[in-house]
Amino acid sequence: MTVENIQNVNVTPKRFADFQNTLKVYHHVFGSENSLRHYVFHAATNGLDKAISRLGKKLIFDLDKLDQWLASGGAK
């Protein structure tokens, strides 16, 4: 790739949030902390695991993938 090509590449920044910030942004979807915890607990079966990364005990949500998951109805 030349320098001219690199300058023309549009890079969209990824959107990430921890558990509490995800809850603040999507409070209208999940309603309560317990509701979001339920979806996280069952992430392997409901497909939410694709939007979650774990750093030790901390959960990090990829908000773009979470939006896709919600658009698909919250199912696999």
Side-chain angles (χ1 to χ4, degrees), residues 52-76:
I52 299 173
S53 296
R54 297 177 193 270
L55 296 173
K57 290 184 177 182
K58 191 166 189 110
L59 295 175
I60 304 296
F61 290 84
D62 182 334
L63 299 182
D64 296 327
K65 290 182 181 179
L66 182 59
D67 287 338
Q68 292 173 356
W69 181 77
L70 290 169
S72 70
K76 268 188 168 179

Side-chain angles (χ1 to χ4, degrees), residues 2 9 17 21 30 32 34 45 51-52 54 58 60 63 67:
T2 64
V9 174
N21 288 326
F30 296 109
S32 69
N34 287 336
T45 57
I52 299 173
R54 297 177 193 270
K58 191 166 189 110
I60 304 296
L63 299 182
D67 287 338

Side-chain angles (χ1 to χ4, degrees), residues 16-69:
F16 294 103
D18 65 0
F19 185 88
Q20 291 300 321
N21 288 326
T22 301
L23 191 58
K24 288 177 186 175
V25 173
Y26 292 93
H27 65 88
H28 60 283
V29 175
F30 296 109
S32 69
E33 182 176 339
N34 287 336
S35 177
L36 181 54
R37 286 188 187 281
H38 171 81
Y39 285 108
V40 169
F41 185 78
H42 295 286
T45 57
N46 63 23
L48 184 59
D49 57 340
K50 294 174 185 73
I52 299 173
S53 296
R54 297 177 193 270
L55 296 173
K57 290 184 177 182
K58 191 166 189 110
L59 295 175
I60 304 296
F61 290 84
D62 182 334
L63 299 182
D64 296 327
K65 290 182 181 179
L66 182 59
D67 287 338
Q68 292 173 356
W69 181 77

